[in-house]
Amino acid sequence: MAVGFHITAAILVLAFAIVYASDPSPLQDFCVAVQDADAGVFVNGKICKDPKLVKPEDFFFPGLNNPRSTSNPLGSNVTLLNVDQIPGLNTLGISLARLDFAPYGLNPPHTHPRATEILVVLEGTLLVGFVTSNPPMNMKNRLFTKVLNPGDVFVFPEGLIHFQFNNGQTNAVAFAGLSSQNPGVITIAK
């Protein structure tokens, strides 16, 4: 009797572990965001466009290959493509940014409360870094920095304060992927 109970319990535990380990499946292929409250279904903070009205343009943004102006006090420009620029990103959990830097340009310390960021440098040289938060007892916050050259990749964990600085004498360009369709940004200091 006890052996049968243990075998049944083991099978249930294994079945639950298999189900629990699977990736969730979306309820639909996509949910294109729309501003009109009468237009569709409310999912993930945005209203879904009627799928019959969706067009290829809902998944499209042109011209990200074009340099952006860095004529400002910081010498940088971030072009964020999230659900507000590409409505088809809604519920897909991803967004993209182009970062342009003049020589000695800075993307000041900031955080993305809802996303991890992965950055790749295409041109120039960037000094990048992030600061840990809530260190264990008897430890201090730690600064992780690295100088990146073209082709180098760096990851900024979700919610941690981070920055990018062009420490070179030429323009720099980088692209960043973020793990949210609406990562948010909180600038710490300029």
Side-chain angles (χ1 to χ4, degrees):
M1 179 90 160
V3 173
F5 173 76
H6 290 299
I7 291 172
T8 303
I11 291 171
L12 287 173
V13 167
L14 288 173
F16 178 73
I18 292 168
V19 171
Y20 184 74
S22 68
D23 289 332
S25 296
L27 298 174
Q28 55 199 47
D29 290 338
F30 52 79
C31 170
V32 173
V34 65
Q35 298 298 324
D36 181 6
D38 297 326
V41 180
F42 189 74
V43 176
N44 198 30
K46 298 286 184 179
I47 297 166
C48 296
K49 190 179 208 179
D50 182 338
K52 293 180 284 224
L53 302 176
V54 171
K55 300 177 278 190
E57 289 75 22
D58 293 324
F59 301 91
F60 176 74
F61 183 91
L64 201 58
N65 60 319
N66 298 323
R68 303 311 201 249
S69 174
T70 56
S71 301
N72 59 58
L74 295 173
S76 69
N77 188 320
V78 177
T79 305
L80 178 62
L81 301 180
N82 63 16
V83 67
D84 294 328
Q85 290 74 36
I86 304 176
L89 286 175
N90 194 39
T91 72
L92 298 183
I94 192 166
S95 55
L96 178 71
R98 177 188 170 117
L99 294 83
D100 290 277
F101 297 88
Y104 308 108
L106 171 69
N107 188 11
H110 63 282
T111 181
H112 303 290
R114 295 180 294 276
T116 294
E117 177 178 340
I118 185 166
L119 180 115
V120 60
V121 175
L122 298 181
E123 298 174 14
T125 303
L126 292 177
L127 170 66
V128 303
F130 66 87
V131 178
T132 60
S133 67
N134 300 320
M137 195 173 256
N138 300 324
M139 288 183 65
K140 296 182 179 182
N141 293 87
R142 188 167 168 200
L143 174 64
F144 289 82
T145 63
K146 188 82 176 154
V147 174
L148 304 181
N149 296 299
D152 290 345
V153 175
F154 197 82
V155 175
F156 305 100
E158 180 176 341
L160 295 186
I161 296 171
H162 60 281
F163 67 91
Q164 298 95 20
F165 174 69
N166 181 357
N167 59 344
Q169 297 179 3
T170 62
N171 290 341
V173 177
F175 278 84
L178 297 116
S179 64
S180 171
Q181 67 272 357
N182 191 11
V185 65
I186 299 170
T187 303
I188 307 304
K190 292 190 179 190

